[in-house]
Coordinates of all heavy atoms in Angstrom, one line a residue:
M29 N 81.1 187.0 78.0 CA 80.0 186.7 77.0 C 78.7 187.3 77.5 O 78.4 187.4 78.7 CB 79.8 185.1 77.0 CG 80.9 184.3 76.5 SD 80.9 184.4 74.7 CE 81.9 182.9 74.3
H30 N 77.9 187.8 76.5 CA 76.6 188.3 76.8 C 75.5 187.7 76.0 O 75.8 187.3 74.8 CB 76.6 189.8 76.5 CG 77.3 190.6 77.5 ND1 78.7 190.8 77.5 CD2 76.9 191.3 78.7 CE1 79.1 191.6 78.5 NE2 78.0 191.9 79.3
Y31 N 74.4 187.5 76.6 CA 73.3 186.8 76.0 C 72.1 187.7 76.0 O 72.0 188.6 76.9 CB 73.0 185.5 76.8 CG 74.1 184.6 76.8 CD1 75.1 184.7 77.8 CD2 74.3 183.6 75.8 CE1 76.3 183.9 77.8 CE2 75.4 182.7 75.8 CZ 76.3 182.8 76.8 OH 77.4 182.0 76.8
T32 N 71.2 187.6 75.1 CA 70.0 188.4 75.1 C 68.7 187.6 74.6 O 68.9 186.6 73.9 CB 70.2 189.6 74.1 OG1 69.1 190.4 74.1 CG2 70.5 189.1 72.7
K33 N 67.7 188.0 75.1 CA 66.4 187.5 74.6 C 65.4 188.6 74.8 O 65.6 189.5 75.6 CB 66.0 186.2 75.3 CG 65.6 186.3 76.7 CD 65.2 184.9 77.4 CE 63.9 184.4 76.8 NZ 63.5 183.1 77.4
I34 N 64.2 188.4 74.3 CA 63.1 189.3 74.5 C 62.1 188.8 75.4 O 61.6 187.6 75.3 CB 62.4 189.6 73.1 CG1 63.3 190.0 72.0 CG2 61.3 190.6 73.3 CD1 63.9 191.4 72.1
E35 N 61.7 189.6 76.4 CA 60.5 189.3 77.3 C 59.3 189.7 76.5 O 58.8 190.8 76.5 CB 60.7 190.2 78.5 CG 59.7 189.8 79.6 CD 60.0 190.7 80.8 OE1 59.6 191.8 80.9 OE2 60.8 190.2 81.7
R36 N 58.8 188.7 75.8 CA 57.8 189.0 74.7 C 56.6 189.7 75.2 O 55.9 190.4 74.5 CB 57.6 187.7 73.9 CG 58.8 187.5 72.9 CD 58.7 186.1 72.3 NE 57.4 185.8 71.6 CZ 57.1 186.2 70.3 NH1 58.0 186.9 69.6 NH2 56.0 185.9 69.8
E37 N 56.1 189.3 76.5 CA 54.9 189.9 77.0 C 55.1 191.4 77.3 O 54.1 192.1 77.4 CB 54.4 189.1 78.2 CG 55.4 189.0 79.4 CD 56.4 187.9 79.2 OE1 56.7 187.3 78.1 OE2 56.9 187.4 80.3
S38 N 56.4 191.8 77.3 CA 56.6 193.3 77.5 C 56.8 194.1 76.2 O 56.9 195.3 76.2 CB 57.9 193.5 78.4 OG 57.7 192.8 79.6
C39 N 57.0 193.4 75.1 CA 57.2 194.0 73.8 C 55.9 194.6 73.3 O 54.9 194.0 73.3 CB 57.7 192.9 72.8 SG 57.9 193.6 71.1
I40 N 56.0 195.8 72.8 CA 54.9 196.6 72.3 C 55.0 196.7 70.7 O 54.3 197.5 70.2 CB 54.7 198.0 72.9 CG1 56.0 198.8 72.7 CG2 54.4 197.9 74.4 CD1 55.7 200.3 73.0
A41 N 55.8 195.9 70.1 CA 55.9 195.8 68.7 C 56.3 197.1 68.0 O 55.7 197.5 67.0 CB 54.6 195.2 68.1
C42 N 57.2 197.9 68.6 CA 57.5 199.2 68.0 C 58.5 199.0 66.8 O 58.7 199.9 66.0 CB 58.2 200.1 69.1 SG 59.8 199.7 69.6
G43 N 59.2 197.8 66.8 CA 60.1 197.6 65.6 C 61.5 198.2 65.8 O 62.3 197.9 64.9
L44 N 61.7 198.9 66.8 CA 63.1 199.6 67.0 C 64.2 198.6 67.0 O 65.3 198.9 66.3 CB 63.0 200.4 68.2 CG 63.7 201.8 68.2 CD1 63.4 202.6 67.0 CD2 63.3 202.5 69.5
C45 N 64.2 197.6 67.8 CA 65.3 196.6 67.9 C 65.7 196.0 66.6 O 66.8 195.9 66.3 CB 65.1 195.6 69.1 SG 63.6 194.6 68.7
Q46 N 64.7 195.8 65.8 CA 65.0 195.1 64.5 C 65.7 196.1 63.6 O 66.5 195.7 62.7 CB 63.6 194.5 63.9 CG 63.9 193.5 62.8 CD 64.1 194.1 61.4 OE1 63.7 195.2 61.2 NE2 64.7 193.4 60.6
L47 N 65.2 197.3 63.6 CA 65.9 198.4 62.9 C 67.3 198.6 63.2 O 68.2 198.7 62.4 CB 65.2 199.7 63.0 CG 63.9 199.9 62.1 CD1 63.2 201.2 62.5 CD2 64.2 199.8 60.6
I48 N 67.5 198.6 64.5 CA 68.9 198.9 65.1 C 69.8 197.7 65.0 O 71.0 197.8 64.6 CB 68.8 199.4 66.5 CG1 68.0 200.7 66.6 CG2 70.2 199.5 67.1 CD1 67.7 201.1 68.0
A49 N 69.3 196.5 65.3 CA 70.2 195.3 65.2 C 69.5 194.2 64.5 O 69.0 193.2 65.1 CB 70.4 194.9 66.7
P50 N 69.4 194.3 63.1 CA 68.7 193.3 62.4 C 69.2 191.9 62.4 O 68.5 190.9 62.1 CB 68.7 193.9 61.0 CG 69.8 194.8 60.9 CD 69.9 195.3 62.3
N51 N 70.6 191.7 62.8 CA 71.1 190.5 62.9 C 70.8 189.8 64.2 O 71.1 188.6 64.4 CB 72.7 190.5 62.7 CG 73.1 191.0 61.3 OD1 72.4 190.7 60.3 ND2 74.2 191.7 61.3
L52 N 70.3 190.6 65.1 CA 70.0 190.0 66.5 C 68.5 189.8 66.6 O 68.1 188.8 67.3 CB 70.5 191.0 67.6 CG 72.0 191.1 67.7 CD1 72.3 192.1 68.8 CD2 72.7 189.7 68.0
Y53 N 67.7 190.7 66.1 CA 66.2 190.7 66.4 C 65.4 190.7 65.2 O 65.8 191.4 64.2 CB 65.9 191.9 67.3 CG 66.7 192.0 68.6 CD1 67.6 193.0 68.8 CD2 66.6 191.1 69.6 CE1 68.4 193.1 69.9 CE2 67.3 191.1 70.7 CZ 68.2 192.1 70.9 OH 69.0 192.2 72.0
E54 N 64.3 190.0 65.2 CA 63.3 189.9 64.1 C 62.0 189.9 64.8 O 62.0 189.8 66.1 CB 63.6 188.6 63.4 CG 62.7 188.4 62.1 CD 62.8 189.5 61.1 OE1 61.9 190.5 61.3 OE2 63.6 189.4 60.3
Y55 N 60.9 190.2 64.1 CA 59.7 190.1 64.7 C 58.7 189.3 64.0 O 58.8 189.0 62.8 CB 59.1 191.6 64.9 CG 59.2 192.4 63.7 CD1 58.2 192.4 62.7 CD2 60.2 193.3 63.5 CE1 58.3 193.2 61.6 CE2 60.3 194.2 62.4 CZ 59.3 194.1 61.5 OH 59.4 194.9 60.3
D56 N 57.7 188.7 64.7 CA 56.8 187.8 64.2 C 55.6 188.5 63.5 O 55.7 189.8 63.4 CB 56.3 186.8 65.2 CG 55.4 187.5 66.3 OD1 55.0 188.6 66.0 OD2 55.2 186.8 67.3
E57 N 54.6 187.8 63.0 CA 53.5 188.4 62.3 C 52.7 189.4 63.0 O 52.0 190.2 62.5 CB 52.6 187.4 61.6 CG 51.8 186.5 62.6 CD 52.6 185.3 63.3 OE1 53.9 185.3 63.0 OE2 52.0 184.5 63.9
N58 N 52.9 189.3 64.3 CA 52.2 190.4 65.2 C 53.1 191.5 65.6 O 52.7 192.4 66.4 CB 51.6 189.7 66.5 CG 50.6 188.6 66.2 OD1 49.7 188.9 65.4 ND2 50.7 187.5 66.8
G59 N 54.3 191.4 65.1 CA 55.3 192.5 65.4 C 56.0 192.3 66.7 O 56.8 193.2 67.1
I60 N 55.8 191.2 67.3 CA 56.5 191.0 68.6 C 57.9 190.4 68.3 O 58.1 189.4 67.6 CB 55.7 189.9 69.5 CG1 54.3 190.4 69.7 CG2 56.4 189.7 70.8 CD1 54.2 191.8 70.4
A61 N 58.9 191.0 69.0 CA 60.3 190.6 68.7 C 60.7 189.3 69.2 O 60.2 188.9 70.3 CB 61.2 191.7 69.1
Y62 N 61.8 188.7 68.6 CA 62.4 187.5 69.2 C 63.9 187.6 68.7 O 64.2 188.3 67.7 CB 61.7 186.3 68.8 CG 61.6 186.0 67.3 CD1 62.6 185.3 66.7 CD2 60.6 186.6 66.5 CE1 62.5 185.0 65.3 CE2 60.6 186.3 65.2 CZ 61.5 185.6 64.6 OH 61.5 185.4 63.2
T63 N 64.7 186.8 69.3 CA 66.2 186.7 68.8 C 66.3 185.9 67.6 O 65.7 184.7 67.5 CB 67.1 186.3 69.9 OG1 66.7 185.0 70.4 CG2 67.1 187.3 71.1
V64 N 67.0 186.3 66.6 CA 67.1 185.6 65.3 C 67.9 184.3 65.5 O 67.5 183.3 65.0 CB 67.8 186.5 64.3 CG1 68.1 185.8 63.0 CG2 67.0 187.7 64.1
Q65 N 69.0 184.5 66.2 CA 70.0 183.4 66.2 C 69.5 182.1 66.9 O 69.8 180.9 66.5 CB 71.3 183.8 66.8 CG 72.1 184.7 65.9 CD 73.5 185.0 66.4 OE1 73.6 185.2 67.6 NE2 74.4 185.0 65.6
D66 N 68.7 182.2 67.9 CA 68.2 181.1 68.6 C 66.8 181.0 68.9 O 66.3 180.4 69.9 CB 69.1 180.9 69.9 CG 69.0 182.1 70.8 OD1 68.1 183.0 70.6 OD2 69.9 182.3 71.6
N67 N 66.0 181.8 68.1 CA 64.5 181.7 68.3 C 64.1 182.1 69.7 O 63.3 181.5 70.3 CB 63.9 180.4 67.9 CG 62.4 180.5 67.6 OD1 61.9 181.6 67.3 ND2 61.7 179.4 67.7
N68 N 64.8 183.1 70.2 CA 64.4 183.6 71.5 C 64.8 182.8 72.7 O 64.3 182.9 73.8 CB 63.0 184.1 71.7 CG 62.9 185.3 72.5 OD1 63.7 186.3 72.4 ND2 61.9 185.4 73.5
A69 N 65.6 181.8 72.5 CA 66.1 180.9 73.6 C 67.1 181.7 74.5 O 67.2 181.5 75.7 CB 66.8 179.7 73.1
G70 N 67.8 182.6 74.0 CA 68.8 183.4 74.7 C 70.0 182.6 75.1 O 70.6 182.9 76.2
I71 N 70.4 181.7 74.3 CA 71.5 180.8 74.6 C 72.7 181.0 73.7 O 73.7 180.3 73.8 CB 71.1 179.3 74.6 CG1 70.4 178.9 73.2 CG2 70.0 179.0 75.7 CD1 70.1 177.5 73.1
T72 N 72.6 181.9 72.7 CA 73.6 182.1 71.7 C 74.3 183.4 72.1 O 73.7 184.5 72.3 CB 73.1 182.2 70.3 OG1 72.3 181.1 70.0 CG2 74.2 182.4 69.3
P73 N 75.7 183.4 72.4 CA 76.4 184.5 72.8 C 76.3 185.6 71.7 O 76.4 185.4 70.5 CB 77.8 184.1 72.9 CG 77.8 182.6 72.9 CD 76.6 182.1 72.3
I74 N 76.2 186.9 72.1 CA 76.3 188.0 71.1 C 77.7 188.2 70.7 O 78.7 188.3 71.5 CB 75.8 189.3 71.9 CG1 74.4 189.1 72.5 CG2 75.9 190.5 71.0 CD1 74.0 190.3 73.4
S75 N 77.9 188.2 69.4 CA 79.3 188.3 68.9 C 79.8 189.7 69.1 O 79.0 190.7 69.3 CB 79.3 188.0 67.4 OG 78.7 189.0 66.6
E76 N 81.2 189.8 69.0 CA 81.8 191.1 69.2 C 81.2 192.1 68.2 O 81.0 193.2 68.5 CB 83.3 190.9 68.9 CG 84.1 190.2 70.1 CD 84.5 191.1 71.1 OE1 84.9 192.2 70.8 OE2 84.3 190.7 72.3
D77 N 81.1 191.7 67.0 CA 80.7 192.5 65.9 C 79.2 193.2 66.2 O 78.9 194.2 65.7 CB 80.6 191.7 64.6 CG 81.9 191.4 64.0 OD1 82.9 192.0 64.6 OD2 82.0 190.6 63.1
E78 N 78.4 192.4 66.9 CA 77.0 192.8 67.1 C 76.9 193.6 68.4 O 75.7 194.0 68.7 CB 76.1 191.6 67.1 CG 76.0 190.9 65.8 CD 75.4 191.8 64.7 OE1 74.7 192.7 65.0 OE2 75.8 191.6 63.6
F79 N 77.9 193.7 69.2 CA 77.7 194.2 70.6 C 77.3 195.7 70.6 O 76.4 196.0 71.4 CB 78.9 193.9 71.4 CG 78.6 193.9 73.0 CD1 77.8 193.0 73.5 CD2 79.1 194.9 73.7 CE1 77.5 193.0 74.8 CE2 78.8 195.0 75.1 CZ 77.9 194.0 75.6
D80 N 77.8 196.5 69.8 CA 77.5 197.8 69.7 C 76.0 198.0 69.3 O 75.2 198.8 70.0 CB 78.3 198.7 68.8 CG 79.7 199.0 69.4 OD1 79.9 198.8 70.6 OD2 80.5 199.5 68.7
S81 N 75.5 197.3 68.4 CA 74.2 197.3 68.0 C 73.3 196.8 69.0 O 72.2 197.3 69.4 CB 73.9 196.4 66.7 OG 74.7 196.8 65.6
F82 N 73.8 195.8 69.8 CA 73.0 195.2 70.9 C 72.8 196.3 71.9 O 71.6 196.5 72.4 CB 73.7 194.0 71.5 CG 73.2 193.7 72.9 CD1 71.9 193.3 73.1 CD2 74.0 194.1 74.0 CE1 71.5 193.0 74.4 CE2 73.5 193.9 75.3 CZ 72.2 193.3 75.5
K83 N 73.8 197.1 72.3 CA 73.7 198.0 73.3 C 72.8 199.2 72.9 O 72.0 199.7 73.7 CB 75.1 198.6 73.6 CG 76.0 197.8 74.5 CD 77.2 198.4 75.1 CE 78.2 198.7 74.0 NZ 79.5 199.2 74.5
K84 N 72.8 199.6 71.6 CA 72.0 200.6 71.2 C 70.5 200.1 71.3 O 69.6 200.9 71.7 CB 72.3 200.9 69.7 CG 73.4 202.0 69.6 CD 73.4 202.5 68.1 CE 74.9 203.0 67.9 NZ 75.5 202.4 66.8
A85 N 70.2 198.9 70.8 CA 68.9 198.4 70.9 C 68.4 198.2 72.3 O 67.2 198.6 72.7 CB 68.8 197.0 70.2
Y86 N 69.3 197.7 73.1 CA 68.9 197.5 74.6 C 68.5 198.8 75.2 O 67.6 198.9 75.9 CB 70.2 196.9 75.2 CG 70.0 196.7 76.7 CD1 69.4 195.5 77.2 CD2 70.5 197.5 77.7 CE1 69.2 195.3 78.5 CE2 70.3 197.3 79.0 CZ 69.7 196.2 79.4 OH 69.5 195.9 80.8
T87 N 69.2 199.9 75.0 CA 68.9 201.2 75.6 C 67.8 201.9 74.9 O 67.3 202.8 75.5 CB 70.2 202.1 75.7 OG1 70.7 202.2 74.3 CG2 71.3 201.5 76.6
S88 N 67.4 201.5 73.7 CA 66.4 202.1 73.0 C 65.0 201.5 73.2 O 64.0 202.2 73.0 CB 66.6 202.1 71.4 OG 67.9 202.7 71.1
C89 N 65.0 200.3 73.7 CA 63.6 199.6 73.8 C 62.8 200.4 74.8 O 63.2 200.7 75.9 CB 63.8 198.2 74.3 SG 62.3 197.3 74.6
P90 N 61.5 200.9 74.4 CA 60.8 201.8 75.3 C 60.2 201.0 76.5 O 59.8 201.7 77.5 CB 59.7 202.3 74.3 CG 59.6 201.3 73.2 CD 61.0 200.7 73.0
T91 N 60.2 199.7 76.5 CA 59.6 199.0 77.6 C 60.5 198.1 78.4 O 60.1 197.4 79.3 CB 58.5 198.1 77.0 OG1 59.1 197.1 76.2 CG2 57.4 198.9 76.2
G92 N 61.8 198.2 78.0 CA 62.7 197.2 78.7 C 62.5 195.8 78.5 O 62.9 194.9 79.3
A93 N 61.9 195.5 77.3 CA 61.6 194.1 76.9 C 62.9 193.3 76.5 O 62.8 192.1 76.5 CB 60.6 194.0 75.8
I94 N 64.0 194.0 76.1 CA 65.2 193.3 75.7 C 66.0 193.0 77.0 O 66.3 193.9 77.8 CB 66.1 194.2 74.9 CG1 65.3 194.5 73.6 CG2 67.4 193.6 74.6 CD1 66.0 195.5 72.6
K95 N 66.2 191.8 77.2 CA 66.9 191.3 78.4 C 68.3 190.9 78.1 O 68.7 190.5 77.0 CB 66.2 190.0 79.0 CG 64.8 190.4 79.4 CD 64.7 191.4 80.4 CE 63.4 191.9 80.8 NZ 63.3 193.1 81.6
R96 N 69.2 191.1 79.1 CA 70.6 190.8 78.8 C 71.1 189.9 80.0 O 70.6 190.1 81.2 CB 71.5 192.0 78.6 CG 71.6 192.9 79.9 CD 72.4 194.1 79.6 NE 73.8 193.9 79.4 CZ 74.7 194.9 79.2 NH1 74.3 196.0 79.0 NH2 75.9 194.5 79.1
S97 N 72.1 189.1 79.8 CA 72.7 188.3 80.9 C 74.1 187.9 80.5 O 74.5 187.9 79.4 CB 71.8 187.1 81.0 OG 72.5 186.2 82.0
T98 N 74.9 187.7 81.5 CA 76.3 187.2 81.2 C 76.3 185.7 81.2 O 77.3 185.1 81.0 CB 77.3 187.8 82.3 OG1 76.8 187.4 83.6 CG2 77.4 189.3 82.2
T99 N 75.1 185.1 81.4 CA 75.1 183.6 81.4 C 73.9 183.3 80.5 O 72.9 184.1 80.4 CB 74.9 183.0 82.8 OG1 73.7 183.5 83.4 CG2 76.1 183.2 83.6
P100 N 73.9 182.1 79.8 CA 72.7 181.7 79.0 C 71.4 181.7 79.7 O 71.4 181.4 81.0 CB 73.1 180.4 78.5 CG 74.6 180.2 78.7 CD 74.9 181.1 79.9
F101 N 70.4 182.1 79.1 CA 69.0 182.0 79.7 C 68.7 180.6 79.9 O 69.0 179.8 79.0 CB 68.1 182.8 78.9 CG 68.3 184.3 79.1 CD1 69.1 185.0 78.2 CD2 67.6 185.1 80.0 CE1 69.3 186.4 78.4 CE2 67.7 186.4 80.2 CZ 68.6 187.1 79.4
E102 N 67.8 180.3 80.8 CA 67.4 178.9 81.1 C 66.4 178.5 80.0 O 65.6 179.3 79.6 CB 66.7 178.8 82.4 CG 67.6 179.0 83.6 CD 68.7 177.9 83.7 OE1 68.4 176.8 83.5 OE2 69.8 178.2 84.0
Ligands
SF4_26 S1 62.5 197.7 70.9 FE1 61.5 196.7 72.6 S2 59.3 197.1 72.4 FE2 60.3 197.6 70.4 S3 60.0 195.7 69.1 FE3 62.0 195.6 70.2 S4 61.6 194.5 72.1 FE4 59.6 195.1 71.2

């Protein structure tokens, strides 16, 4: 299992993750990203179907704000 969340203070609102993985990431009125499924809690496993999109978004984020873990975030 893999989990993801956004380190929001590192996000520069470029919009890339939402374009690449719209089922995983959304952004607020300031353009700062968060995870759709659990409102950035990072406790919902990334589904098989979304994993390629996740990897693309993860490697595309210019600031490393997308975090990944094999255990749920606290
Ligand atoms: S790709 Fe990174 S910097 Fe761009 S909106 Fe997503 S989390 Fe923020």
